[in-house]
Amino acid sequence: MRARVYVTLKPSVFDPQGRVVAEALHTLGYGDVRDVRQGKFFEVELEGDDRASAEARVAEMAATLLANPVIESYRVEVL
Amino acid sequence: MRARVYVTLKPSVFDPQGRVVAEALHTLGYGDVRDVRQGKFFEVELEGDDRASAEARVAEMAATLLANPVIESYRVEVL
């Protein structure tokens, strides 16, 4: 069973990496780029095939290890 | 107009970060985790509202700046 966890900085948190990417895109001629935010994601391969329990376990992993809930939010998707 | 670019290492490329995350999850008691691959994503805010041209431009940005096509693959999603 496979799940994905998408981790993004909360909207109120400044994202310097995204800022740099936006500036690099402007330099490359993409002047229509207003803003860029960068995030990360994890593809987790799990044993077992119970979707509900997989989703709950992966959400737990996200909250304890994959994301920092103080400044980041996450979304879990079971494939 | 908003688009997302998901960048992942190609399956044949070793992912040491993902490996470390998988080991950390094992240590935390998640023994049912078989494998973890880590990727990144970008949320790009663009001017204009032509979906097709936005998708083409963002795919171009992905190929030139956001991903390294030698070892990474990417997927563009216009929201």
Side-chain angles (χ1 to χ4, degrees):
Chain A
M1 175 136 272
R2 188 174 289 192
R4 288 209 186 111
V5 182
Y6 300 94
V7 179
T8 27
L9 283 171
K10 290 185 177 169
S12 58
V13 178
F14 180 60
D15 176 6
Q17 262 188 308
R19 207 51 246 148
V20 169
V21 172
E23 279 161 25
L25 288 171
H26 291 162
T27 308
L28 287 171
Y30 299 104
D32 55 341
V33 171
R34 270 203 209 122
D35 192 28
V36 176
R37 307 262 313 161
Q38 191 171 344
K40 53 191 168 173
F41 74 91
F42 300 89
E43 211 167 88
V44 182
E45 184 94 36
L46 287 166
E47 274 162 37
D49 50 6
D50 178 352
R51 285 181 71 84
S53 103
E55 191 163 350
R57 281 179 74 73
V58 173
E60 215 182 276
M61 293 174 205
T64 50
L65 182 78
L66 306 178
N68 174 354
V70 178
I71 55 166
E72 293 171 327
S73 53
Y74 60 85
R75 184 165 58 84
V76 174
E77 180 187 288
V78 177
L79 304 184
Chain B
M1 174 135 275
R2 187 174 291 193
R4 287 206 187 116
V5 181
Y6 299 93
V7 179
T8 27
L9 283 172
K10 290 186 179 170
S12 57
V13 178
F14 180 62
D15 176 6
Q17 263 188 306
R19 207 51 246 148
V20 169
V21 171
E23 278 160 26
L25 287 170
H26 291 163
T27 308
L28 286 171
Y30 299 105
D32 55 341
V33 171
R34 270 204 210 123
D35 192 29
V36 176
R37 308 264 310 163
Q38 190 172 344
K40 53 191 170 172
F41 73 91
F42 300 89
E43 210 166 272
V44 181
E45 184 94 35
L46 288 166
E47 275 163 36
D49 49 6
D50 178 350
R51 285 181 71 83
S53 103
E55 190 163 349
R57 281 177 75 73
V58 173
E60 213 181 276
M61 293 175 205
T64 51
L65 183 77
L66 306 179
N68 174 354
V70 178
I71 54 166
E72 293 172 328
S73 52
Y74 60 85
R75 185 165 58 85
V76 174
E77 179 187 289
V78 176
L79 305 182

